[in-house]
């Protein structure tokens, strides 16, 4: 089944029952009721742009959370999460039926051809209704029930705390303090309840500055560097052509004075100059350098949400070309302007980071301070601070600069029906810019590409409540931490899927300087063309390296086990005992299926003649020679039964010993030729692949169901196993 980027393991209960039902497995009436398969359409065609002459033909099912197409003949399934649907368009009727184009927020484009026009119309209306709930409490996160083995509902909600994050930056201190004026969101309802402001800022200054800033978003601390230079953020001033506010001027001067190492500061307006000048006509605008002492003003040129939305639409159209030539693809990519916008965001962020590194504080704003400002502040901190390049650090950065400071996730991601002009790929651009840095310096980041894709997909999926709402106040009013699960809790349970095998924290211990030349900004194939087959490596480096490391670890532990066994048997056959070992009886009898050919002396067993000889015992060289030595008596009888004291962990028979040794797979299946798991889940370029240490098969996350100790590993570490090996670990290789 081809899930629309959310792994089947995310929805084990419902999707597992649904998969069984689709395959005809036994499902109880209670389980069937939980599937909520509302309707289905027969004889639907699924068009493949690479093979238009041979489309797939099957049945289209509507489930509670997914649209599922099943090609029974080819045994192929296509899953589309309803909340990921971004648009549904009816195309002109053809001779084969009524086409319906479904596009998703994860950049999947699927064209269905439905035999009857009436069915097509009903499906169109149904998808529009299901993909865009009218009320926010209709979102899936309020109804999602986790499986018992997952973390409890409370897990993840307390992972990050804004006060703890600022304490890591040594705030509060003599220059910056916690402001309690916004504890009930009276100062600014889109800011967090806890904001940090200059220590000398009075309540009157805070109130006056908030009243002079758009949406009340006054300047507040976002990041403090160890050299005392700070990144502050706010919204545009309500200055118009000549208005001024003494309190706001004092506020910026206090931010400047909070950095005793520099006598001036920068004010960065992330917008193009023309946009800011247009806003002046509406009574807003930007700071007048004549009114603000010791500031240097800088425009940057990042486009607004409408420009970015149109740019992404053109990029998607370019990626959807049926038979793109090099010329058509490159011209489409150029005309979209997408890479140019990514570069402008990175240019702005590096400009801010460089200023902070040089010891100059920066105050950043755009229009309302929750889109471009969030991008620039978080990326600048990412370049400055190695902590934010770790998994927990990046999540803390999202919590601080995006969730707490009021990025409008519900509006920008289109969680509920509303004004389409409010949608914009602001978060997508943050992740794209982060990927550009990750691609240039992979050793600087603890996380991998899958981590960024997971954040992107879940921000739009609404399975977890983390990204629901437009600000902190919205989330508290909805009581999301009580009523929904946290994405951070889920990700904490799957950390190994997001670790970058190339990470080296010593490689970039300080500032990360990106290469922002035009040729260094790349198209992110993994995000925008992830559903294209045949364009991705069959052995992704991010999966190949961990698999190789795990395989080497398994073999090392197995070698240690064999060495211990060999030592034990050497001691057994030479008459020695390991210290601290308890006694038991081991019988290996000659002449049957459990025979070991053994030559002995009268009261001492000797398998390893070289061992005896090297130890300098009184045994003669002839006695230590092999049994076919010409001077040796060939008629010497061998003792048919061996009974000796040994450690009680030694198997009682040779067949049990063989089974124990074979409980670990020596050869692991290559990732190169694996296309699906044994449960029929497809394993593509972006699927996390696991190996069973017992049989060596390649499995999906869901099928690596158990971790248990294997007898042939000299390690207490629990090894990942498939269901069959978990039931009979000592028979793993025989069973497979």
């Amino acid at each position: 089944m081809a899930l629309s980027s959310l792994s089947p393991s995310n929805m084990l209960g419902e999707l597992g029952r649904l998969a069984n039902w689709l395959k005809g497995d036994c499902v109880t009436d209670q389980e069937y009721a939980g599937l909520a398969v509302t309707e289905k359409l027969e004889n639907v065609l699924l068009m493949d742009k690479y093979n238009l002459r041979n489309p797939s033909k099957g049945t289209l099912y509507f489930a509670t959370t997914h649209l599922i197409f099943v090609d029974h003949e080819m045994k192929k399934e296509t899953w589309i999460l309803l909340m990921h649907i971004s648009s549904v368009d009816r195309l002109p009727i053809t001779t084969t039926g009524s086409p319906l184009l479904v596009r998703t927020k994860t950049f999947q484009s699927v064209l269905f051809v439905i035999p009857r026009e009436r069915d097509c119309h009903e499906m169109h209306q149904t998808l529009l209704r299901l993909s865009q709930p009218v009320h926010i409490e209709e979102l899936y996160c309020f109804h999602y029930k986790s499986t018992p083995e997952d973390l409890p509902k409370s897990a993840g909600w307390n992972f990050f705390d804004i006060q703890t994050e600022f304490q890591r930056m040594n705030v509060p201190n003599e220059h910056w303090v916690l402001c309690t004026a916004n504890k009930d969101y009276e100062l600014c309802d889109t800011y967090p309840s806890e904001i940090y402001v200059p220590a000398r800022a009075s309540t009157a200054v805070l109130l006056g500055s908030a009243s002079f800033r758009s949406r009340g978003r006054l300047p507040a601390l976002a990041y403090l560097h160890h050299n005392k230079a700070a990144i502050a953020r706010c919204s545009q001033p309500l200055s118009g052509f000549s208005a001024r506010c003494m309190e706001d001027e004092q506020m910026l001067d206090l931010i400047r004075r909070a950095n005793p190492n520099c006598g001036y500061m920068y004010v960065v307006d992330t917008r193009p100059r023309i946009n800011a000048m247009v806003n002046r006509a509406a009574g807003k605008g930007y700071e007048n350098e004549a009114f603000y002492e010791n500031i240097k003003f800088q425009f940057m040129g990042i486009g607004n949400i409408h420009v970015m939305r149109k740019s992404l639409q053109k990029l998607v159209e370019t990626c959807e070309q049926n038979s793109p030539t090099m010329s058509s693809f490159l011209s489409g990519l150029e005309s979209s302007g997408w890479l140019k916008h990514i570069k402008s965001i990175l240019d702005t962020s590096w400009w801010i980071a460089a200023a902070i590194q040089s010891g100059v504080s920066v105050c950043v704003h755009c229009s309302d301070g929750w889109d471009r400002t969030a991008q620039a502040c978080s990326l600048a901190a990412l370049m400055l601070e190695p902590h934010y390049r770790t998994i927990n650090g990046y999540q803390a950065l999202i919590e601080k600069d995006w969730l707490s400071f009021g990025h409008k996730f519900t509006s920008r991601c289109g969680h509920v029906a509303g004004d389409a002009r409010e949608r914009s790929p602001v978060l997508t651009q943050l992740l794209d810019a982060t990927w550009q840095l990750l691609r240039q310096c992979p050793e600087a980041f603890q996380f991998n590409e899958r981590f960024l894709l997971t954040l992107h997909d879940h921000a739009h999926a609404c399975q977890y409540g983390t990204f629901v709402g437009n600000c902190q106040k919205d989330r508290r009013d909805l009581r999301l931490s009580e009523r929904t699960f946290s994405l951070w809790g889920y990700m904490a349970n799957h950390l190994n899927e997001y670790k970058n095998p190339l990470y080296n924290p010593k490689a970039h211990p300080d500032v990360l300087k990106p290469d922002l030349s035009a040729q260094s900004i790349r198209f992110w194939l993994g995000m925008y063309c992830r559903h294209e087959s045949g364009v991705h490596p069959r052995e992704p480096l991010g999966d190949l390296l961990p698999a190789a490391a795990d395989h080497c670890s398994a073999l090392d532990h197995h070698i240690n086990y064999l060495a211990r066994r060999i030592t034990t048997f050497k001691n057994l056959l030479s008459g020695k005992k390991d210290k601290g070992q308890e006694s038991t009886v081991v019988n290996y009898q000659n002449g049957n299926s459990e025979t070991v050919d053994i030559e002995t002396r009268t009261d001492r067993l000797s398998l390893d003649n070289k061992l005896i000889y090297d130890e300098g015992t009184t045994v003669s060289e002839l006695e230590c020679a092999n049994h076919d030595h010409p001077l040796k008596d060939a008629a010497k009888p061998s003792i048919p039964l061996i009974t000796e004291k040994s450690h009680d962990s030694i198997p009682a028979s040779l067949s049990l010993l063989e089974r124990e040794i074979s409980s670990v797979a020596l050869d692991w299946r290559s990732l190169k030729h694996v296309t699906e798991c044994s449960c029929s889940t497809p394993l593509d370029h972006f699927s996390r692949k696991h190996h069973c240490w017992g049989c060596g098969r390649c499995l999906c996350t869901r099928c690596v169901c158990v971790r248990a100790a294997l007898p042939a590993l000299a390690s207490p570490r629990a090894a990942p196993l498939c269901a069959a090996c978990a039931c009979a670990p000592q028979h793993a290789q025989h069973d497979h």
Side-chain angles (χ1 to χ4, degrees):
M1 65 190 78
L3 289 178
S4 69
S5 72
L6 281 189
S7 167
S9 61
N10 298 355
M11 302 179 180
L12 287 181
E14 181 177 354
L15 298 189
R17 293 193 299 271
L18 183 54
N20 290 337
W21 177 75
L22 290 172
K23 295 173 183 177
D25 292 349
C26 180
V27 180
T28 67
D29 293 339
Q30 183 179 4
E31 288 177 323
Y32 179 79
L35 297 178
V37 179
T38 56
E39 56 184 288
K40 64 179 181 178
L41 293 176
E42 303 281 357
N43 300 318
V44 175
L45 298 181
L46 175 61
M47 309 302 292
D48 183 351
K49 71 177 184 178
Y50 295 109
N51 190 11
L52 293 174
R53 294 184 179 181
N54 296 299
S56 299
K57 186 175 183 179
T59 306
L60 197 60
Y61 297 91
F62 290 87
T64 310
T65 57
H66 284 73
L67 178 69
I68 308 121
F69 175 82
V70 181
D71 183 343
H72 297 286
E73 182 179 347
M74 301 298 295
K75 296 182 179 179
K76 179 182 177 183
E77 301 171 15
T78 301
W79 295 60
I80 300 174
L81 187 68
L82 295 177
M83 282 305 302
H84 275 167
I85 295 177
S86 60
S87 66
V88 185
D89 300 311
R90 294 184 63 186
L91 304 182
I93 298 176
T94 66
T95 55
T96 54
S98 300
L100 195 68
L101 179 61
V102 179
R103 290 190 177 101
T104 74
K105 299 169 186 176
T106 61
F107 309 104
Q108 183 179 17
S109 180
V110 182
L111 180 61
F112 297 109
V113 178
I114 302 168
R116 297 172 56 191
E117 183 182 5
R118 179 180 176 181
D119 290 338
C120 182
H121 173 74
E122 292 178 353
M123 177 180 173
H124 178 258
Q125 296 302 311
T126 301
L127 290 180
L128 289 178
R129 183 178 69 254
L130 295 177
S131 62
Q132 291 191 17
V134 176
H135 304 291
I136 196 167
E137 296 197 11
E138 296 176 7
L139 293 176
Y140 181 46
C141 61
F142 293 102
H143 311 285
Y144 171 64
K145 306 296 182 186
S146 180
T147 51
E149 62 268 18
D150 285 343
L151 296 176
K153 184 174 288 187
S154 60
W157 287 112
N158 59 352
F159 281 8
F160 304 101
D161 175 71
I162 194 167
Q163 289 193 47
T164 304
E165 180 57 27
F166 276 100
Q167 285 171 6
R168 194 189 58 80
M169 305 181 217
N170 296 318
V171 177
N173 54 41
E174 58 180 316
H175 302 293
W176 296 93
V177 296
L178 175 64
C179 171
T180 58
N182 202 45
K183 63 180 181 179
D184 296 319
Y185 306 103
E186 294 177 354
L187 194 62
C188 176
D189 62 356
T190 60
Y191 263 11
S193 59
E194 301 156 336
I195 60 174
Y196 291 84
V197 298
R200 298 174 59 186
S202 65
T203 302
V205 168
L206 296 175
L207 291 172
S209 179
S211 64
F212 190 66
R213 292 282 169 174
S214 176
R215 312 279 184 172
R217 296 172 67 87
L218 72 160
L221 180 66
Y223 172 76
L224 184 65
H225 196 261
H226 56 75
N227 63 9
K228 298 187 178 180
I231 299 177
R233 59 181 295 173
C234 58
S235 62
Q236 64 183 337
L238 305 178
S239 56
F241 288 103
S242 58
R244 62 185 297 184
C245 174
M246 299 303 296
E247 291 83 3
D248 191 68
E249 294 167 20
Q250 291 177 39
M251 186 68 175
L252 284 187
D253 190 57
L254 290 172
I255 292 174
R256 177 186 65 80
R257 292 173 181 271
N259 177 12
N261 300 324
C262 186
Y264 67 95
M265 67 175 289
Y266 289 112
V267 174
V268 171
D269 191 330
T270 60
R271 301 170 293 182
R273 180 187 293 269
I274 185 64
N275 292 30
M277 295 182 69
V278 168
N279 279 329
R280 295 186 83 177
K284 300 178 182 179
Y286 53 93
E287 293 80 358
N288 189 330
E289 289 186 72
F291 298 155
Y292 293 84
E293 294 183 2
N294 299 311
I295 73 163
K296 297 183 179 181
F297 198 83
Q298 184 76 27
F299 285 109
M300 284 301 172
I302 303 176
N304 61 29
I305 60 171
H306 312 295
V307 171
M308 300 306 183
R309 182 177 61 253
K310 293 175 182 176
S311 175
L312 183 62
Q313 288 173 352
K314 291 181 180 179
L315 180 71
V316 170
E317 291 170 1
T318 299
C319 295
E320 287 179 351
Q321 297 179 53
N322 283 339
S323 301
T325 62
M326 178 67 78
S327 176
S328 64
F329 180 80
L330 292 179
S331 62
L333 186 60
E334 168 64 22
S335 64
S336 74
W338 184 256
L339 295 185
K340 180 184 70 176
H341 296 316
I342 298 299
K343 185 179 186 303
S344 68
I345 294 170
L346 285 168
D347 284 335
T348 302
S349 304
W350 172 244
W351 196 96
I352 296 169
I356 296 296
Q357 186 185 18
S358 66
V360 184
S361 293
V362 182
C363 183
V364 186
H365 70 75
C366 50
S367 296
D368 291 321
W370 49 43
D371 292 318
R372 290 166 281 194
T373 300
Q375 290 174 332
C377 289
S378 54
L379 285 169
L382 187 71
M383 296 172 185
L384 289 165
E385 184 72 56
H387 169 67
Y388 292 130
R389 301 194 285 269
T390 66
I391 292 176
N392 288 337
Y394 197 85
Q395 291 172 335
L397 194 65
I398 296 290
E399 280 278 347
K400 175 174 66 73
D401 286 341
W402 292 72
L403 292 166
S404 294
F405 272 97
H407 175 67
K408 300 168 66 175
F409 278 102
T410 289
S411 298
R412 297 294 182 256
C413 297
H415 291 161
V416 295
D419 188 355
R421 293 175 299 176
E422 282 290 297
R423 294 188 188 182
S424 190
V426 184
L427 178 68
T428 304
Q429 289 182 317
L430 168 78
L431 300 175
D432 195 326
T434 303
W435 177 82
Q436 302 288 341
L437 302 176
L438 171 62
R439 187 195 62 80
Q440 290 185 14
C441 304
E443 68 280 0
F445 293 86
Q446 187 188 24
F447 52 83
N448 56 19
E449 181 184 40
R450 185 180 289 110
F451 174 80
L452 300 176
L453 294 175
T454 300
L455 289 177
H456 176 272
D457 293 355
H458 276 290
H460 294 87
C462 299
Q463 181 182 352
Y464 301 96
T466 304
F467 293 104
V468 173
N470 285 329
C471 59
Q472 187 186 85
K473 183 177 183 298
D474 284 356
R475 296 181 187 95
R476 291 188 178 178
D477 290 344
L478 289 168
R479 296 186 296 113
L480 291 175
S481 61
E482 303 171 23
R483 302 170 62 193
T484 69
F485 289 86
S486 168
L487 176 61
W488 307 139
Y490 165 77
M491 295 183 76
N493 218 19
H494 298 79
L495 276 183
N496 286 335
E497 297 184 21
Y498 311 124
K499 289 182 178 178
N500 174 15
L502 299 176
Y503 176 56
N504 178 11
K506 296 180 180 179
H508 295 274
D510 197 9
V511 177
L512 181 66
K513 183 178 180 180
D515 179 1
L516 299 179
S517 56
Q519 62 270 28
S520 297
I521 307 301
R522 304 289 180 84
F523 171 73
W524 189 2
L525 186 73
M527 173 68 86
Y528 310 111
C529 293
R530 72 173 97 168
H531 299 285
E532 300 286 341
S533 58
V535 299
H536 305 290
R538 287 188 291 176
E539 289 184 295
L541 191 62
D543 287 336
L544 190 61
L545 291 181
D550 285 345
H551 195 186
C552 289
S553 176
L555 293 177
D556 283 342
H557 289 313
H558 187 55
I559 289 171
N560 292 337
Y561 155 82
L562 293 174
R564 284 168 51 180
R565 274 285 179 258
I566 290 171
T567 301
T568 300
F569 280 111
K570 280 184 177 180
N571 292 336
L572 165 67
L573 299 176
S574 62
K576 294 184 178 180
K577 291 182 182 178
D578 293 339
K579 293 182 180 179
Q581 290 185 353
E582 297 180 3
S583 298
T584 188
V585 176
V586 180
N587 295 322
Y588 294 145
Q589 185 171 358
N590 297 332
N592 60 20
S593 61
E594 299 179 359
T595 293
V596 178
D597 290 329
I598 298 174
E599 298 254 356
T600 94
R601 297 181 64 202
T602 356
D603 38 7
R604 243 181 120 175
L605 234 85
S606 161
L607 271 185
D608 194 339
N609 293 340
K610 185 177 186 302
L611 174 69
I612 303 293
Y613 188 75
D614 291 344
E615 285 181 346
T617 61
T618 57
V619 183
S620 69
E621 183 175 353
L622 181 60
E623 289 177 306
C624 291
N626 293 332
H627 66 86
D628 56 349
H629 193 283
L631 300 180
K632 213 164 185 182
D633 184 6
K636 185 177 180 180
S638 63
I639 295 186
L641 182 66
I642 301 164
T643 301
E644 188 62 48
K645 302 289 185 181
S646 180
H647 194 278
D648 60 3
S649 67
I650 297 180
S653 67
L654 186 58
S655 63
L656 291 178
L657 178 65
E658 290 175 347
R659 291 175 184 175
E660 179 182 279
I661 293 175
S662 64
S663 66
V664 172
L666 300 183
D667 294 322
W668 284 11
R669 187 173 180 185
S670 169
L671 301 176
K672 190 173 185 179
H673 303 294
V674 176
T675 57
E676 69 175 21
C677 178
S678 57
C679 70
S680 299
T681 299
L683 297 176
D684 56 22
H685 173 67
F686 301 100
S687 305
R688 178 68 168 95
K689 305 170 188 68
H690 306 264
H691 281 94
C692 171
W693 288 31
C695 61
R697 290 188 302 167
C698 192
L699 308 167
C700 68
T701 300
R702 180 172 56 180
C703 289
V704 181
C705 54
V706 175
R707 287 184 176 270
L710 289 175
L713 290 181
S715 168
R717 175 184 174 185
L721 301 173
C722 64
C725 293
C727 294
Q730 293 193 10
H731 300 270
Q733 287 194 327
H734 298 290
D735 294 342
H736 301 298

